Amino acid sequence: MPGVRVGAALLSVIVMLGAQPPEEAGVAPGAAVPDSRPGEAFAYPVVAQLQRTATDVQRELGTLANDIHLAEQAVRESSAALDQARSAREAANAAVRARQADVDRYASAILSSFGRPNQFQVLLLARSPDDFLDGSSLMARVQEAEAEELTGAVQRHQAAVRAEEAASNAAKAAADRKADLDRRNGDATNRAAAITGEFRSKLAQTNSTVVAMQQAQRTRNDQTAANWRAYLDKLAASGIRPGPAPTEATLQSGERLVVWPEATIRAVTTAVGALGKPYAPQGDGPDAYSCDGLTRAAYGLKGSAAEQMAVLQPVNDPQPGDLVFIGPERYGVQNVGVVLDPRTMISADARLVGVVVTDIPTAVLGYARPSLPLRPAQPVPQRTDSGLVWRCGGVDLPSGGWSGYPNGLIPASALCPIGIGDHRLRCDAAFSFQGLAAAFGSAFGRPMCVTDSYRTFEEQVRLYGVKPALAAVPGTSNHGWGLALDLCGGAQSFGTAEYAWMRANAGRFGWQNPSWALPGRGREEPWHWEYGI
């Protein structure tokens, strides 16, 4: 190969494969991609403000929901105590009436005989054979009850009346507290509903910003892909066959070109081919990727970004195809990208919700070369920060949150259609559901029926206002993360063939009817299915 030489000048002839950022390339002014270094606040200030507002409303409604639950329990307990006290008072009434009947008959005997009754007189007053046969004991009871039984019965009755009054007051207090909490909950729900107009406006603004950034990002991605195709075309036109190590070639035109190893070209081609695919936290392709899922796909690696860094050989002279591991160190190894040139990398970015070309940030923990032999696992930076957990450039929340967006405030541009109506979900959930729906269609000869998917914060507030005892507190629903569906067409009922099929097959696609929604759990919802929760 004429003009081929390898040496220290190698980096000086690197083709800048990664396109410039949109603001430098003159694309979509004002729609610059966020700084890829993680920080305490999400890069979109409008979304950050929405997050704080939504959190305040969510916290208030959550507190009220818990208080209402306790108040309902207090109402039930006080009602049961009142019923018990009322029964005790009624029993005391009956005892007083019984004692009073004895006294009345005793008084009648006195009036008839103008003196104290004897046993014969009492027997003559008997009203039944039992009274007649029990005349002696009746006489004894009447004599003993003159000063005691009626008084005791009256005292017990008075105590029962007081207990019933106390129980009634307690029940009223519990009911009043429940009514007050319901009123406050209604007020909070109304406040949440009142600000949803502002949310709607800001969310539309945020969505427009994200759409503009995605368009600018697509331009950058397309330009990078074009640069890479042009590089491959030059190699093919010159008849150059890549070898196991990088070399430098001078083309007939006089252009000097680095010829990267075959394994590097194959991996970078895979990464470039994934540009524009959606981000998914557990994505390994080919439909969606996480950052470490992309590098697993490109190089056949295993494990997380940290696990990859632990076994790959580190290098200090990064070349195209090498991996760059991103911090800052206090977050541990939270991101990994495929190096394109000294300035840019390809990564599945959680905040940009896709596989993108982005600048290599300053918080680099190290570079590694997958083409070199693996080493025994070595220590790598571990997370020491006790705050938010970052992964692939975005916040990874244990509640199911993703990409740094608040629950129910995810722009439509960050979601993917499921192929039924206008329903949308997080992209990995959407793609998985499409596979589930295809299998269902093969089994039943008709498409699946869906009534609800991603649920905005505004929709959560409305539903909570209608069904506060059943609906999730706004800002906590898995519908608001784009990870839940409500089904119809038979699957919404226990005991149907459709529900039985879902129970038997949905798990293969990552979907489940959660345990709290199953029969006997107090909140049966056969129609509600969640992805990867």
Side-chain angles (χ1 to χ4, degrees):
M1 202 168 17
V4 173
R5 63 185 185 279
V6 180
L10 184 61
L11 289 180
S12 67
V13 294
I14 289 177
V15 175
M16 298 299 288
L17 299 172
Q20 293 180 334
E23 63 272 24
E24 296 182 18
V27 178
V33 174
D35 184 349
S36 58
R37 293 169 295 178
E40 293 307 316
F42 187 69
Y44 308 127
V46 172
V47 176
Q49 179 59 45
L50 286 177
Q51 175 72 85
R52 287 189 289 270
T53 306
T55 299
D56 291 342
V57 174
Q58 175 187 337
R59 185 182 297 113
E60 181 179 6
L61 288 172
T63 300
L64 285 169
N66 182 66
D67 290 345
I68 288 172
H69 173 74
L70 295 176
E72 288 173 342
Q73 182 177 352
V75 168
R76 288 192 297 270
E77 292 174 352
S78 61
S79 296
L82 177 59
D83 290 341
Q84 184 175 2
R86 184 172 289 119
S87 296
R89 190 262 304 158
E90 291 173 352
N93 282 346
V96 169
R97 287 194 298 270
R99 300 288 80 74
Q100 187 65 55
D102 286 344
V103 171
D104 289 347
R105 292 164 60 192
Y106 176 52
S108 177
I110 292 176
L111 292 173
S112 299
S113 61
F114 298 98
R116 295 183 61 83
N118 55 39
Q119 181 172 332
F120 177 73
Q121 291 171 325
V122 170
L123 293 178
L124 291 178
L125 296 173
R127 299 180 180 178
S128 68
D130 288 340
D131 282 352
F132 184 85
L133 294 175
D134 202 27
S136 297
S137 60
L138 175 61
M139 184 63 196
R141 289 201 312 275
V142 170
Q143 290 172 338
E144 293 170 359
E146 285 186 64
E148 297 180 5
E149 290 203 16
L150 180 58
T151 301
V154 170
Q155 290 174 343
R156 288 191 296 274
H157 175 266
Q158 291 172 342
V161 169
R162 288 193 298 270
E164 181 182 11
E165 183 178 1
S168 178
N169 290 336
K172 184 179 184 303
D176 288 346
R177 169 151 176 80
K178 171 65 166 54
D180 179 63
L181 288 171
D182 285 341
R183 178 189 58 76
R184 291 167 55 194
N185 185 69
D187 290 343
T189 303
N190 290 337
R191 287 196 300 274
I195 62 176
T196 54
E198 180 184 0
F199 282 0
R200 192 185 308 114
S201 174
K202 289 186 177 180
L203 186 57
Q205 177 185 347
T206 301
N207 190 63
S208 298
T209 302
V210 173
V211 168
M213 288 194 305
Q214 289 179 333
Q215 179 58 53
Q217 187 65 60
R218 279 194 294 270
T219 300
R220 191 180 191 188
N221 291 350
D222 292 344
Q223 186 175 341
T224 296
N227 290 348
W228 182 249
R229 286 194 300 270
Y231 171 77
L232 296 180
D233 290 343
K234 289 178 181 178
L235 292 182
S238 301
I240 298 174
R241 297 181 63 85
T247 59
E248 182 188 337
T250 300
L251 305 181
Q252 292 181 352
S253 63
E255 181 182 357
R256 294 160 61 195
L257 192 67
V258 174
V259 181
W260 299 110
E262 181 179 5
T264 297
I265 291 176
R266 185 167 53 248
V268 173
T269 299
T270 298
V272 169
L275 287 172
K277 294 293 181 67
Y279 168 83
Q282 308 303 324
D284 282 319
D287 297 316
Y289 293 89
S290 64
C291 54
D292 38 25
L294 179 64
T295 53
R296 286 194 294 267
Y299 280 105
L301 299 173
K302 297 180 180 179
S304 65
E307 291 168 331
Q308 293 174 21
M309 185 178 182
V311 299
L312 291 177
Q313 292 285 353
V315 294
N316 295 319
D317 58 336
Q319 301 172 0
D322 288 347
L323 301 189
V324 53
F325 296 95
I326 311 299
E329 189 167 347
R330 70 181 186 276
Y331 292 131
V333 185
Q334 64 93 12
N335 199 0
V336 59
V338 179
V339 173
L340 290 178
D341 57 46
R343 294 179 52 185
T344 57
M345 66 178 183
I346 294 179
S347 179
D349 192 286
R351 288 179 299 176
L352 298 175
V353 206
V355 180
V356 297
V357 178
T358 186
D359 292 344
I360 296 175
T362 57
V364 171
L365 300 176
Y367 295 90
R369 188 158 297 156
S371 59
L372 297 176
L374 299 180
R375 60 176 180 169
Q378 301 296 311
V380 298
Q382 299 295 319
R383 177 173 177 264
T384 59
D385 190 279
S386 61
L388 299 174
V389 176
W390 287 81
R391 180 167 182 268
C392 297
V395 179
D396 189 13
L397 299 177
S399 61
W402 56 284
S403 300
Y405 293 105
N407 183 296
L409 297 171
I410 302 172
S413 54
L415 301 168
C416 288
I418 67 172
I420 297 177
D422 295 329
H423 294 291
R424 302 178 76 87
L425 293 172
R426 194 176 76 182
C427 290
D428 54 337
F431 291 132
S432 177
F433 176 78
Q434 290 171 10
L436 173 64
F440 181 94
S442 297
F444 290 94
R446 53 185 168 82
M448 293 191 76
C449 177
V450 178
T451 62
D452 201 5
S453 53
Y454 170 67
R455 189 178 294 161
T456 67
F457 187 86
E458 180 179 7
E459 290 168 339
Q460 293 179 53
V461 169
R462 180 190 58 78
L463 187 61
Y464 184 81
V466 175
K467 302 176 180 179
L470 296 176
V473 172
T476 66
S477 170
N478 281 323
H479 284 284
W481 294 125
L483 295 173
L485 284 169
D486 289 346
L487 303 181
C488 47
Q492 77 276 15
S493 302
F494 296 121
T496 64
E498 291 84 356
Y499 179 81
W501 186 92
M502 286 290 295
R503 287 282 291 171
N505 295 278
R508 294 190 291 116
F509 299 89
W511 289 87
Q512 63 173 332
N513 189 206
S515 58
W516 57 261
L518 297 177
R521 303 298 175 89
R523 188 183 166 189
E524 292 83 359
E525 292 190 10
W527 57 83
H528 181 85
W529 293 79
E530 297 179 348
Y531 178 76
I533 302 299

